[in-house]
Amino acid sequence: MDIYTIIFLALAVFIFLRLRSVLGQRTGNERPPFDHTAARNALGGAQDKNVVTMPGKVIDQAPLAPTAEPTPPADRWKGLTEPGTALAQGLDAIVDKDSTFDPRHFISGARGAYEMIVLAFANGDRRALRDLLSSEVYESFDAAIKEREKNEQKTETRFVSIDKAELVGAELRDRTAQLTIRFVSQMISATRDKAGNIVDGSADTVADITDIWTFARDITSRDPNWKLVGTGSAN
């Protein structure tokens, strides 16, 4: 055996011993590789948070099926009206055509609209009124504002409170949903002439006001806003 063969054998033995010390030996008791899928399933099947769902067209998407148990018919309008009433039937008809409609949310929004419209009318703010009223109601309000301007009068109105906003009517006419609310409020209102004299109302007396207003919306429209289409007063 020549010198070169002896050197190569010695080098091979050295490399084998180094690999053995680094990698170790398999004894049959080694722990199996970590199973990420099994661990994820054991923790409840959580999805990989790095997976991103691409957005799709949602503007025309049909309402998603409810995940909770449906509300029993007897409790559907609890706190608003009793089952079988004309109001309940009207609400049912609207929801059947527009599953996103929520009368309680509507009432909350109507309270804000009521105050905005009353104050806009007192201030002669036609721009604000045009966005909140139907064309017929706007013409009526505009005529009253013009009459005040002609007589050089100004109206001062201040809300003290809105004590009640109660849904009293609901109806679906073809594609148009109509909801009627009775507002009970307290406010101070006075109309002054050019010289500042009060010609109507009072500047310091709180008046109890009851208004009955009807709002409408085309439920097939993408515009979510309701407009005032009728006004009445119980005072």
Side-chain angles (χ1 to χ4, degrees):
M1 183 178 295
D2 58 33
I3 188 63
Y4 294 106
T5 301
I6 295 173
I7 293 173
F8 283 127
L9 286 175
L11 183 61
V13 171
F14 174 76
I15 293 174
F16 172 75
L17 292 174
R18 290 291 297 169
L19 289 174
R20 183 186 178 102
S21 66
V22 172
L23 299 177
Q25 302 180 66
R26 296 189 65 83
T27 65
N29 297 320
E30 291 83 3
R31 304 176 75 177
F34 183 73
D35 188 341
H36 293 273
T37 302
R40 193 159 54 237
N41 292 336
L43 292 173
Q47 297 180 351
D48 190 341
K49 294 183 179 179
N50 292 323
V51 177
V52 179
T53 302
M54 294 300 292
K57 184 178 180 182
V58 297
I59 190 168
D60 295 323
Q61 182 177 323
L64 298 176
T67 56
E69 291 295 326
T71 304
D75 298 332
R76 192 177 194 182
W77 309 124
K78 188 175 182 180
L80 295 176
T81 186
E82 297 296 325
T85 62
L87 176 56
Q89 293 172 2
L91 291 173
D92 286 338
I94 295 172
V95 171
D96 286 345
K97 296 296 183 180
D98 181 5
S99 61
T100 65
F101 171 68
D102 181 352
R104 295 171 180 84
H105 179 73
F106 168 82
I107 292 173
S108 176
R111 289 175 66 100
Y114 175 65
E115 184 171 354
M116 287 176 62
I117 291 171
V118 170
L119 295 179
F121 173 69
N123 297 327
D125 187 348
R126 291 180 172 86
R127 182 175 181 179
L129 292 173
R130 194 180 296 276
D131 292 335
L132 298 167
L133 313 180
S134 68
S135 57
E136 294 82 3
V137 175
Y138 176 80
E139 290 175 2
S140 176
F141 278 42
D142 182 53
I145 293 173
K146 287 179 178 177
E147 185 66 20
R148 284 204 313 253
E149 293 172 342
K150 177 183 176 181
N151 296 325
E152 299 184 88
Q153 297 174 345
K154 290 187 177 181
T155 298
E156 303 166 353
T157 298
R158 179 166 59 89
F159 272 92
V160 176
S161 64
I162 298 178
D163 301 322
K164 182 182 293 186
E166 177 185 13
L167 191 62
V168 296
E171 185 179 6
L172 181 64
R173 295 183 178 180
D174 295 327
R175 301 180 307 176
T176 302
Q178 292 192 352
L179 296 172
T180 301
I181 292 190
R182 179 189 293 117
F183 295 100
V184 179
S185 64
Q186 293 185 326
M187 64 181 76
I188 299 172
S189 184
T191 300
R192 299 179 183 271
D193 61 18
K194 184 179 180 179
N197 300 312
I198 295 177
V199 295
D200 187 35
S202 172
D204 51 18
T205 300
V206 177
D208 296 320
I209 306 295
T210 300
D211 285 314
I212 301 173
W213 285 12
T214 299
F215 298 84
R217 174 181 175 266
D218 182 348
I219 59 174
T220 65
S221 171
R222 294 183 182 182
D223 183 355
N225 296 315
W226 295 72
K227 290 195 174 184
L228 180 64
V229 298
T231 62
S233 177
N235 297 93

